[in-house]
Amino acid sequence: MGASLPALLRRPAILWSALAAAVAAAVVTVLLVVPGADDGPADGDGDYLDASLPVDERVDDLLGRMTIEEKIGQMTQATVGAVEAAPSDVGEYGIGSLLNGGSEALFDTPEEWAAMIDGYQDEALKSRLGIPLMYGIDAVHGNTAIPGAVVFPHNIGLGAAHDPDLAGRAAAVTAAETRAAGIHWTFAPCVCVARDSRWGRTYESYGEDPGLAFEYAGPVVHGYQGEDLAANTSVLATAKHYVGDGGTDYGSSTTGDYLLDQGVVTLTEEELRSIHLAPFQAAVDAGVGSVMASFSSTDLGEGPLKTHADEYLITDVLKGELGFDGIVVSDWQAVDQVSTDYAEAVRASVNAGIDMVMVPFEYERFISTLLSEVESGGVAEDRIDDAVARILTQKFALGLFEQPFADTAHAAEVGSDEHRDVAREAAAASQTLLRNDGDLLPLTGQESIYVAGSGADSIGRQSGGWTASWQGSTVTPTQGTTILAGIQEVASDAAVTFSEDASEPVEAADVGIVVVAEDPYAEGVGDAGAGEHDLALSEDDAAAVETVCAAVDCIVIVVSGRPVEIAPHLGEPGTPRSVDSLVAAWLPGSEGAGVADPLFGAAPYNGRLPVSWPRQTDDEPLNVGDAEYDPLFAFGFGLVTP
Ligand code: GLC
């Protein structure tokens, strides 16, 4: 797509010098016109294009030049699928941001991603004031939208590693592999506190104790944003979902088949603050540039209120009390849930403090509706100015006015061995040893090993949701090593027999390893009891455990986003057919070799349970500190090996 004059002003110097005479003439004309909402691009001296000015001065100058339509355009975030048929809408409406939901793998390489985004950036720069757009994605455990990108353990595994600095390093690698593709903004970290393991987003949480999310928020935000948001290895981070998304009541959701996700949090304000608010204070203190509002509702005693329409929580508490000065972005089409009257939904959400609306499809309707609300006085222009100032501030900080187009200098490092080493270290550190009869682990590597289970040879299962697609996939959605490949890497291939359903003879092996697994899911789709997901082992995996552990000493590895119902399969320690060693592997990501490392002593087992492990599903919600607390394995439990 061709570029217009404003865009050319930011192209390489050769174009700038070739155009200097023509632009100089235009600038002289502009200087003679009194600045106001109807003047064109600035002249670069003493105004928003002057990078030597403080950001707040640049924001004030630009805001003063903008029409109300341009301001509302900046508050609009559209999904790329909605504008691909009319790319020029991006410039004509001055759309502030684009995204593609679910980290969908639209392209195979960073360069292809960058070219797509630059095409829309070209359109954005054609707008009257040439305001660049921001592109956002759910790079929540790696930039999994690129098939060769490194996939890190999901947050629950990072929480088990009890190593916030390691999580920060993982975020920094993710940021580099995201910005190298021309993407400016990740909707991460989730600083949710998962209080009921039946929740389909438990794995996006660092655990049930707010202290974990509190400890991780700062290092992870810093990992994503770096020292300079304009660097080609930094992305804007998002603390989400504000507030209490992990504390909803089972059965309170009214969204589709969901039971927990997007439900109602029924707590006193004091409980809400102590359990769910604290991690956001840490994120704000770390300088997080955006916060995503939660789909859920809170009922502090006066009935449920959608968080997206909660002016007290968003404006008074988050922006006022906590001092958050970044962007509050809505969740996906979440404004529509506030009211069946769309105008009322838009008015209530923007007045509550939502600054950017992830519409994400009908952006014209949103723009015209909000414009009508401003014209009728339903929404004050001061509120619009506050929202747009927050958005522009982050765009200036990202360096988009100076460098609106992708810098793919680090594209070759996407999926590099160095990056994979960080993911392998994180996977190993997250391994949590829950039983180890007879000190069976670590193995020596000399044993003949029988491997079974649905999670042994499946990068898709070991990566979980938000991997190359919203729900993830049981088939290989990305590159990396499976747990089986990790085992084969250490033990000689001849010594390893793999039979996923344990139909091959077992007896000849010295030891058996059964890797049981959940199939991937995301959000409410994974709510236990809602649809196809619950906390029980699959029949095939349960049968494989039974077969292998009846024949030889056996190790069960659980690949899951949350505690599963393992008690019925364990047997009493030391009795025949019992499980000798039990490992929670969580969702380790693309580097399955990190799961094998502690198995053979190449790394210690040192993980600690970030969530309580129930004896049975119905014991949920089950959290440390409960008056009646009788878990199978307690929060913080984990055996250690050298
Ligand atoms: C989803 C999720 C949110 C995600 C957003 C964009 O519904 O709730 O975590 O960032 O939409 O994909």
Side-chain angles (χ1 to χ4, degrees), residues 101-102 138 187 201 240-241 292 295 331-332 358 466 523:
D138 292 282
F187 305 124
R201 307 196 75 163
K240 71 183 186 181
H241 308 80
M292 185 180 290
F295 278 114
D331 205 330
W332 181 276
M358 189 186 293
W466 301 101
E523 301 192 46

Side-chain angles (χ1 to χ4, degrees), residues 5-307:
L5 178 59
L8 290 179
L9 295 184
R10 302 174 189 82
R11 293 281 185 182
I14 190 167
L15 281 178
W16 164 247
S17 58
L19 287 167
V23 170
V27 163
V28 169
T29 305
V30 166
L31 283 178
L32 298 178
V33 175
V34 177
D38 60 351
D39 64 350
D43 56 18
D45 295 328
D47 52 33
Y48 71 98
L49 290 179
D50 182 348
S52 69
L53 286 180
V55 167
D56 59 348
E57 288 184 28
R58 300 178 76 182
V59 169
D60 290 346
D61 176 72
L62 180 49
L63 206 54
R65 297 170 186 266
M66 295 171 76
T67 65
I68 185 62
E69 290 83 1
E70 289 164 335
K71 293 175 182 176
I72 290 173
Q74 285 300 303
M75 296 172 67
T76 307
Q77 183 179 57
T79 184
V80 71
V83 292
E84 63 185 350
S88 59
D89 278 3
V90 172
E92 286 164 23
Y93 288 97
I95 288 175
S97 177
L98 296 178
L99 83 153
N100 64 283
S103 72
E104 299 295 339
L106 304 178
F107 303 96
D108 291 336
T109 66
E111 292 83 0
E112 290 171 300
W113 273 96
M116 178 272 285
I117 295 167
D118 279 354
Y120 288 109
Q121 191 67 283
D122 253 344
E123 297 299 332
L125 297 178
K126 290 176 184 172
S127 60
R128 184 177 71 91
L129 294 166
I131 301 174
L133 65 77
M134 291 194 295
Y135 194 97
I137 202 167
D138 292 282
V140 300
H141 67 136
N143 184 16
T144 67
I146 297 179
V150 176
V151 183
F152 285 91
H154 270 294
N155 287 354
I156 194 162
L158 296 177
H162 55 93
D163 188 342
D165 290 340
L166 176 55
R169 288 194 285 129
V173 168
T174 297
E177 297 200 353
T178 301
R179 194 72 181 261
I183 299 168
H184 315 108
W185 187 5
T186 181
F187 305 124
C190 187
V191 292
C192 43
V193 181
R195 303 289 288 173
D196 186 326
S197 294
R198 292 171 292 186
W199 188 34
R201 307 196 75 163
T202 297
Y203 65 79
E204 295 184 65
S205 165
Y206 295 105
E208 69 188 33
D209 182 291
L212 279 168
F214 185 87
E215 285 173 10
Y216 277 72
V220 172
V221 165
H222 187 262
Y224 282 126
Q225 298 191 160
E227 294 298 331
D228 175 8
L229 208 44
N232 60 13
T233 53
S234 296
V235 290
L236 184 66
T238 310
K240 71 183 186 181
H241 308 80
Y242 185 82
V243 59
D245 52 344
T248 57
D249 304 327
Y250 191 78
S252 66
S253 179
T254 55
T255 304
D257 295 337
Y258 299 177
L259 288 167
L260 270 167
D261 195 38
Q262 305 187 20
V264 179
V265 183
T266 307
L267 293 172
T268 65
E269 181 169 346
E270 183 186 359
E271 288 167 333
L272 182 73
R273 285 172 173 270
S274 62
I275 298 171
H276 298 287
L277 186 65
F280 285 93
Q281 181 68 72
V284 169
D285 292 348
V288 72
S290 68
V291 167
M292 185 180 290
S294 176
F295 278 114
S296 55
S297 305
T298 52
D299 182 351
L300 302 180
E302 298 174 7
L305 174 61
K306 273 285 184 185
T307 308

Side-chain angles (χ1 to χ4, degrees), residues 453-454 461 500-502 514 516-519 532 534-547 565 569:
S454 66
R461 289 191 176 93
E500 179 168 328
D501 61 1
V514 187
V516 302
E518 286 190 297
D519 284 351
E532 60 189 64
D534 58 28
L535 303 189
L537 297 193
S538 69
E539 287 181 12
D540 290 349
D541 279 349
V545 171
E546 177 73 24
T547 300
E565 274 193 345
H569 309 284

